[in-house]
Amino acid sequence: MKKQIAIIGLEMHCELKSNSKVFSPACNNYAEVPNSNIAPLDMAFPGTLPTVNKKSVADALKMSIALNCEQPDYLIFDRKNYYYPDLPKGYQITQMASPIGIKGKIEIEVNDKLVPVYIHDIHLEEDSASLDHYFDTSTIDYNRSGVPLLELVTEPCLHSAEEAVAFLEYMRDVYKYCDVSEADTKKGQIRCDVNVSIMDEDATTLGTRVEIKNVNSFKGVYDTINYEIKRQTELKEAGRYNEVEQETRRWDEESMTTIHMRSKVDAIDYKYFVEPNIPKFKITPEWLESLKKEIPRLHLERKYDYINNYGLSSYDAGVLVKEKAISDYFEECLKIGIDAKTACNWITTQILGYLNKENKTINEFNFTPNKLKELTDLIKNNTISSKQAKDIFNEVVINNKEIKDFINNDNAQVNDRDALIQIIDEIINNSPNQVEAYQNGKTNLFDYFVGQVMKNTKGKANPVLTKEILNEKLGK
Ligand code: ADP
Ligand code: MG
């Protein structure tokens, strides 16, 4: 059999942040109590009419711009007609003929290489209600009904589970950077349909695709794709490729397999038509221009900036841009004159270490970039050692102390050369055996001497100066 390549297309759904729902005034917020965030429209009461949430449209347009899509001249919604208990109106308001974005293209990073991803379209629609199934009953919760949902459809242009997950992670970060969604898979805010086919390496037409619906985690997407590629390849190897039919399957977490749901010949005809209760609405170039200005510099651009212009490693730059608030903090540090590597070291070790341990975000953090500047300046001008700086950092962060409280004669760093020489002479005189061993080649004893100096000065000796004097005295 010829070498096979996999073709993957994704449909990614993401719930948008907003105060009210996309077509009703009900609150759009996760609620523990079922049917507490609802308005009559969400349950399709007769006589209710939709009003479009302008913020959701603006957020959808922002994403359309961020994905380099073309935007339509008019905002137009369509009705997608089907019946299901979680869809009380009997239709979903979505966009079919004139989506909010088409023909987009972005680049994502996969294993340190840039890979292009083509966007077929991105459109705004309403989420359905949710059903919970019990032993002999099912319940319905309308809280989710009408939550603004952005659906992004890629071209069949991805080639592996790694690429697909890298794309989803990239998009999750874009949603978060633009602050249009929390994009939290654990809260069900991101859900994917995954389309997979295989074909001969040199084939010119695509193979038969299988659609796997509603995969709710990135790990699920990864496993689904690898399972499906393997299943289809094995059938093809066995000469049974005709058994790969165009069908909808679902991912079963327990058995780690995909399971047949329905065949595409049973596909529903949705009888789309323009939603008559929402007048079309002009999307002006001025509006688009002002939305464009609200899109922040995205993470990959920032990452390459940090690598190319500030000399950071790809790994460190990646850690800094993972969250916009952290990256903003880092950029604020640069702006006030902290050296990039110094800022990066403090953020990736001390600051993130503390935040992760305390499960806090950087917005709930009292150690501002200005304080970091104050502290790192004190190290730079030798007032304190970096060890002392770390202790002071902890005192400020945990006990809400002021940096200046720690800068007094008691704990200022010992920078006095003569004082250090005196201490070091004494240590050398008291350690003849160690000196002899050191000079006979046991060079790791150097740390012993440094340790003695630190012990003697309660950790306050200037480490650079200490090493310099020790080298002079002991002979290199
Ligand atoms: P549907 O309405 O049935 O979901 P679409 O034409 O909208 O069908 O396609 C949905 C997704 O399927 C898109 O993401 C697209 O990239 C993907 N797709 C289409 N053909 C293939 C194929 N041969 N292999 C893999 N994915 C495909
Ligand atoms: Mg589909």
Side-chain angles (χ1 to χ4, degrees):
M1 190 168 76
K2 282 191 177 154
K3 187 167 180 256
Q4 298 297 302
I5 53 174
I7 304 288
I8 298 146
L10 297 172
E11 294 159 78
M12 177 185 198
H13 295 85
C14 180
E15 288 183 352
L16 297 179
K17 259 188 213 177
S18 59
N19 292 330
S20 57
K21 291 182 178 176
V22 62
F23 302 119
S24 90
C27 173
N28 171 24
N29 208 346
Y30 180 78
E32 289 289 331
V33 183
N35 297 309
S36 53
N37 287 341
I38 49 174
L41 183 107
D42 305 321
M43 295 165 292
F45 279 20
T48 53
L49 287 170
T51 22
V52 180
N53 184 329
K54 194 169 177 186
K55 179 189 186 290
S56 300
V57 176
D59 285 348
L61 281 169
K62 270 193 221 171
M63 298 311 298
S64 170
I65 298 167
L67 296 174
N68 304 305
C69 288
E70 293 170 15
Q71 293 82 41
D73 293 334
Y74 287 92
L75 178 72
I76 298 169
F77 288 96
D78 297 296
R79 272 192 196 181
K80 178 178 182 178
N81 299 284
Y82 65 96
Y83 175 74
Y84 202 70
D86 65 10
L87 190 72
K89 297 198 297 300
Y91 61 86
Q92 178 193 33
I93 304 180
T94 179
Q95 296 188 294
M96 207 276 288
S98 180
I100 207 136
I102 56 166
K103 296 188 195 162
K105 185 196 165 188
I106 53 163
E107 279 188 315
I108 61 166
E109 205 183 45
V110 188
N111 299 326
D112 281 330
K113 273 209 218 75
L114 289 176
V115 173
V117 181
Y118 299 90
I119 311 300
H120 179 276
D121 77 85
I122 179 160
H123 57 267
L124 182 61
E125 59 191 23
E126 56 181 339
D127 209 342
S128 62
S130 47
L131 296 168
D132 289 304
H133 303 287
Y134 301 96
F135 174 64
D136 59 358
T137 49
S138 291
T139 58
I140 183 157
D141 176 3
Y142 291 102
N143 283 344
R144 206 180 67 183
S145 172
V147 167
L149 198 63
L150 207 51
E151 176 170 348
L152 188 172
V153 183
T154 75
E155 295 290 350
C157 62
L158 298 158
H159 297 287
S160 65
E162 285 79 15
E163 281 186 13
V165 171
F167 172 76
L168 295 174
E169 285 174 347
Y170 176 90
M171 283 312 306
R172 177 192 56 197
D173 292 347
V174 174
Y175 288 122
K176 287 167 78 169
Y177 261 70
C178 296
D179 198 30
V180 302
S181 173
E182 278 178 81
D184 189 343
T185 46
K186 285 186 218 85
K187 293 185 186 159
Q189 292 168 336
I190 291 183
R191 309 187 293 271
C192 295
D193 300 341
V194 183
N195 295 268
V196 184
S197 65
I198 55 166
M199 64 185 206
D200 291 352
E201 191 180 22
D202 57 357
T204 49
T205 51
L206 299 179
T208 306
R209 84 174 147 116
V210 168
E211 178 184 46
I212 304 99
K213 277 243 172 256
N214 270 322
V215 191
N216 291 341
S217 69
F218 293 173
K219 181 173 181 301
V221 170
Y222 187 87
D223 291 339
T224 299
I225 293 173
N226 283 332
Y227 174 82
E228 222 9 75
I229 293 173
K230 185 162 171 277
R231 187 183 74 86
Q232 294 179 21
T233 309
E234 282 172 2
L235 281 171
K236 201 165 184 177
E237 267 168 358
R240 290 162 51 201
Y241 189 62
N242 60 334
E243 286 175 37
V244 177
E245 62 158 333
Q246 204 180 332
E247 62 177 329
T248 300
R249 298 173 77 90
R250 66 178 174 84
W251 174 244
D252 182 57
E253 198 77 53
E254 222 151 90
S255 63
M256 296 280 282
T257 61
T258 60
I259 295 169
H260 174 83
M261 281 170 74
R262 59 178 181 264
S263 161
K264 275 282 168 181
V265 288
D266 312 326
I268 324 159
D269 176 358
Y270 293 115
K271 305 254 193 264
Y272 284 97
F273 61 86
V274 171
E275 166 57 52
N277 289 330
I278 302 175
K280 70 175 183 182
F281 184 84
K282 177 90 180 133
I283 299 172
T284 63
E286 295 75 38
W287 192 21
L288 290 175
E289 224 20 72
S290 74
L291 290 172
K292 202 174 191 169
K293 293 202 187 94
E294 288 175 30
I295 300 173
R297 218 155 62 104
L298 298 178
H299 50 308
L300 262 196
E301 192 187 337
R302 295 186 191 214
K303 182 175 170 183
Y304 288 120
D305 181 28
Y306 301 168
I307 296 172
N308 298 330
N309 302 323
Y310 293 96
L312 300 189
S313 69
S314 167
Y315 179 81
D316 282 341
V319 174
L320 291 177
V321 301
K322 219 172 158 53
E323 257 182 63
K324 178 170 175 290
I326 303 286
S327 174
D328 287 345
Y329 185 99
F330 172 69
E331 292 187 7
E332 184 59 30
C333 290
L334 297 181
K335 216 188 272 170
I336 58 176
I338 308 178
D339 158 73
K341 284 197 180 144
T342 306
C344 171
N345 281 342
W346 274 90
I347 295 171
T348 55
T349 52
Q350 267 11 78
I351 296 179
L352 286 179
Y354 169 80
L355 294 176
N356 289 340
K357 193 171 120 233
E358 298 295 318
N359 204 6
K360 279 189 180 168
T361 70
I362 201 152
N363 300 325
E364 309 165 291
F365 185 55
N366 63 12
F367 205 81
T368 58
N370 280 325
K371 286 190 186 163
L372 186 61
K373 168 96 166 97
E374 193 181 335
L375 196 61
T376 51
D377 278 349
L378 289 168
I379 307 174
K380 216 158 80 180
N381 64 25
N382 289 324
T383 308
I384 54 172
S385 67
S386 30
K387 159 87 179 62
Q388 285 174 306
K390 282 173 195 161
D391 294 340
I392 295 173
F393 170 85
N394 285 330
E395 287 293 329
V396 174
V397 167
I398 298 166
N399 299 324
N400 244 320
K401 296 246 173 78
E402 297 285 338
I403 295 175
K404 64 173 167 29
D405 296 345
F406 296 89
I407 310 306
N408 53 40
N409 290 333
D410 274 356
N411 56 13
Q413 181 168 293
V414 181
N415 290 311
D416 181 344
R417 198 180 169 89
D418 291 336
L420 275 178
I421 289 180
Q422 213 177 344
I423 293 166
I424 288 172
D425 278 342
E426 198 176 317
I427 291 169
I428 287 181
N429 282 335
N430 290 337
S431 328
N433 296 342
Q434 284 86 345
V435 173
E436 197 187 328
Y438 177 81
Q439 283 163 347
N440 286 333
K442 226 173 154 218
T443 49
N444 56 4
L445 273 174
F446 193 78
D447 291 339
Y448 160 80
F449 291 108
V450 176
Q452 289 298 305
V453 178
M454 290 301 167
K455 197 167 149 196
N456 212 293
T457 58
K458 300 207 179 76
K460 282 175 272 177
N462 176 330
V464 179
L465 202 54
T466 301
K467 285 180 189 162
E468 201 180 291
I469 300 169
L470 275 171
N471 271 324
E472 282 166 18
K473 295 278 172 185
L474 293 167
K476 253 203 162 167

